[in-house]
């Protein structure tokens, strides 16, 4: 089975290619279309896990062909693999498993991590204080914050914009938190699978960037000394981002931190726990932490909750986290200057 996209995938400003969450969501949509519809009296199949690899940067200017292989159709599970291809080359691959709703029976072993104490969804009239590239994208985010491992429940859960600073050796104890939802209302025409695909789409936001945040890396493609020359709105955004990330309040503080040279997702897994409860056009809370980074890579874990505390999904991502090997306030990475200010890395 071969499918293609009818709309251009989102390409965040300055990114190497299309947003990774877009190709995840479209691949899952293609796979879902090959799963048999339930017979009368039968329950439907919903995605319960997927394991993805990002192979090449995708272009928003060229249609993507999604090649779906029907690996197995069973009574309780259906398995699909999808290759997303452009110019004859595979840019992304995923193995997805679907489970028939209710296949686990009436008696079940059940438990779930609770929503962290004290968190609350944003008010609808709350200002959209978020990354500039997110503000132009298909979903909206609120309140990126960093809390410590031991005192997260006692941390300021308001919208202070102040980040907790990790001490060397404590990076694995830090947690990044953010609220996400799709813009507008997801059409009923796509069925409930559209909400699951939208969750998959949003799960890629801020994800591997957790490593750069807890390590307090300079992650913009211009030197700290150039910030003063930026457009005032962008300068304010950079200053706030650096405060949240714990880099300090000015060029002298920022220049003391290592510079991020490359941040790219390598692989991405999602485990959907309560598919029926997912409403991706309502606020969902994500908490991310990183158990390990080294050898130019990092691993991040993410839990996604509904606003009522239901644990919706658990995600794992590994990515390249490479630092530049030169002075942060010398020549900007890859020759970038202040005129490239819209190309800030995550």
């Amino acid at each position: 089975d071969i499918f293609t996209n009818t709309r251009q995938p989102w390409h965040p400003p300055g990114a190497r290619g299309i947003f990774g969450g877009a190709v995840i969501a479209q691949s899952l949509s293609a796979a879902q279309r090959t799963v048999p519809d339930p017979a009368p009296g039968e329950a439907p199949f919903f995605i319960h896990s997927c394991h993805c690899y990002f192979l090449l940067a995708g272009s928003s200017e060229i249609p993507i062909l999604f090649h779906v292989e029907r690996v197995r159709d069973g009574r309780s599970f259906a398995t699909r693999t999808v290759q997303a291809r452009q110019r004859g080359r595979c840019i992304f691959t995923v193995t997805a498993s679907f489970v028939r709703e209710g296949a686990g029976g009436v008696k079940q072993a059940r438990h779930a991590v609770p929503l962290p104490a004290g968190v609350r969804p944003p008010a609808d009239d709350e200002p959209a204080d978020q990354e500039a590239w997110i503000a132009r994208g298909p979903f909206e985010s609120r309140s990126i914050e960093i809390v410590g491992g031991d005192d997260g429940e006692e941390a300021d859960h308001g919208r202070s914009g102040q980040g907790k600073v990790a001490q060397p050796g404590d990076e694995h104890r830090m947690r990044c938190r953010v609220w996400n939802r799709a813009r507008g209302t997801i059409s009923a025409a796509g069925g409930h699978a559209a909400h699951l695909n939208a969750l998959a789409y949003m799960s890629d936001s801020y994800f591997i960037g957790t490593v750069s945040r807890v390590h307090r890396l300079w992650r913009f493609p211009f030197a700290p000394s150039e910030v003063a020359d930026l457009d005032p709105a962008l300068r304010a955004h950079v200053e706030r981002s650096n405060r949240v990330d714990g880099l300090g309040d000015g060029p002298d503080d920022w220049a003391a931190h290592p510079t991020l040279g490359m941040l790219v997702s390598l692989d991405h897994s999602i485990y959907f726990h309560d598919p029926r409860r997912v409403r991706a056009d309502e606020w969902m809370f994500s908490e991310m932490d990183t158990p390990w980074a080294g050898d130019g890579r990092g691993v991040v874990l993410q839990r996604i909750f509904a606003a009522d505390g239901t644990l919706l999904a658990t995600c794992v991502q590994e990515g390249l986290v490479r630092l530049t090997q030169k002075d942060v306030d010398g020549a900007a990475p890859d020759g970038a200057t202040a005129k490239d200010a819209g190309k800030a890395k995550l």
Side-chain angles (χ1 to χ4, degrees), residues 1 27 45 69-70 85-86 106 112 114 118-119 149 151 159 162-163 183 187 205 230 238-239 247 304 317 323:
D1 301 274
S27 294
F45 282 90
E69 180 182 355
R70 305 185 186 212
R85 306 182 70 88
Q86 285 185 323
V106 176
V119 299
D151 59 358
R159 311 294 185 248
Q162 298 297 321
R183 293 190 186 278
S187 172
S205 64
L230 300 177
V238 171
E239 291 170 346
L247 270 69
I304 302 176
Q317 188 172 84
L323 308 185

Side-chain angles (χ1 to χ4, degrees), residues 23-303:
V23 71
I24 295 175
Q26 291 178 339
S27 294
L28 295 186
S29 178
Q32 179 77 59
R33 290 173 182 269
T34 70
V35 175
D37 291 329
E42 289 185 337
F45 282 90
F46 287 125
I47 183 75
H48 77 89
S49 69
C50 64
H51 306 280
C52 316
Y53 286 90
F54 300 98
L55 305 178
L56 294 169
S59 170
S60 61
E61 304 297 325
I62 302 171
I64 304 173
L65 296 180
F66 298 93
H67 296 250
V68 182
E69 180 182 355
R70 305 185 186 212
V71 178
R72 180 178 182 271
D73 287 306
R75 295 180 61 184
S76 297
F77 293 91
T79 305
R80 300 291 185 266
T81 61
V82 183
Q83 284 194 3
R85 306 182 70 88
Q86 285 185 323
R87 301 188 183 95
R89 305 172 71 189
C90 182
I91 64 170
F92 171 88
T93 183
V94 59
T95 297
S97 183
F98 299 81
V99 64
R100 190 182 296 278
E101 187 177 30
V106 176
K107 293 184 178 181
Q108 299 182 27
R110 298 185 64 91
H111 72 275
V113 172
L115 181 73
V119 299
R120 66 181 188 277
D124 286 337
D125 59 353
E126 183 172 308
D129 191 6
Q130 58 192 27
E131 302 276 5
W133 69 277
I134 288 286
R136 296 189 292 271
F139 59 93
E140 53 183 322
S141 302
R142 296 289 190 279
S143 185
I144 181 72
E145 63 176 356
I146 304 173
V147 300
D150 290 335
D151 59 358
E153 284 70 23
E154 287 74 37
D156 175 12
H157 296 292
R159 311 294 185 248
S160 65
Q162 298 297 321
K164 184 81 173 179
V165 176
Q167 300 303 314
D170 282 345
E171 291 85 1
H172 66 286
R173 300 161 64 89
M174 309 306 292
R175 290 172 285 171
C176 295
R177 294 173 169 178
V178 66
W179 290 88
N180 290 316
R181 69 178 177 185
R183 293 190 186 278
T185 301
I186 294 177
S187 172
H192 193 69
H195 288 271
L196 302 176
N197 297 338
L199 181 150
Y201 191 118
M202 288 182 277
S203 72
D204 194 36
S205 64
Y206 297 104
F207 206 173
I208 194 61
T210 299
V211 178
S212 69
R213 287 185 167 88
V214 303
H215 279 273
R216 294 185 288 164
L217 305 180
W218 177 260
R219 55 190 176 89
F220 296 98
F222 42 82
S225 60
E226 297 180 279
V227 173
D229 299 325
L230 300 177
D231 173 82
L234 181 56
R235 183 172 67 246
H237 163 71
V238 171
E239 291 170 346
R240 178 192 175 277
S241 295
N242 288 332
R243 285 196 300 273
V244 170
D245 291 358
L247 270 69
D249 293 318
D252 291 341
D253 291 336
W254 304 334
H257 295 273
T259 300
L260 181 65
M262 181 178 290
L263 189 68
V264 180
S265 302
L266 293 174
D267 53 72
H268 186 119
S269 294
I270 309 173
Y271 301 90
F272 298 83
H273 305 314
D274 200 342
R276 276 289 185 190
R277 181 60 191 84
V278 174
R279 290 287 308 183
D281 49 11
E282 298 176 357
W283 286 116
M284 298 183 294
F285 176 79
S286 291
E287 182 174 76
M288 293 158 279
D289 65 89
T290 172
W292 176 86
D295 197 26
R297 306 189 316 280
V299 174
V300 181
L301 309 179
Q302 177 180 191
R303 293 178 176 131

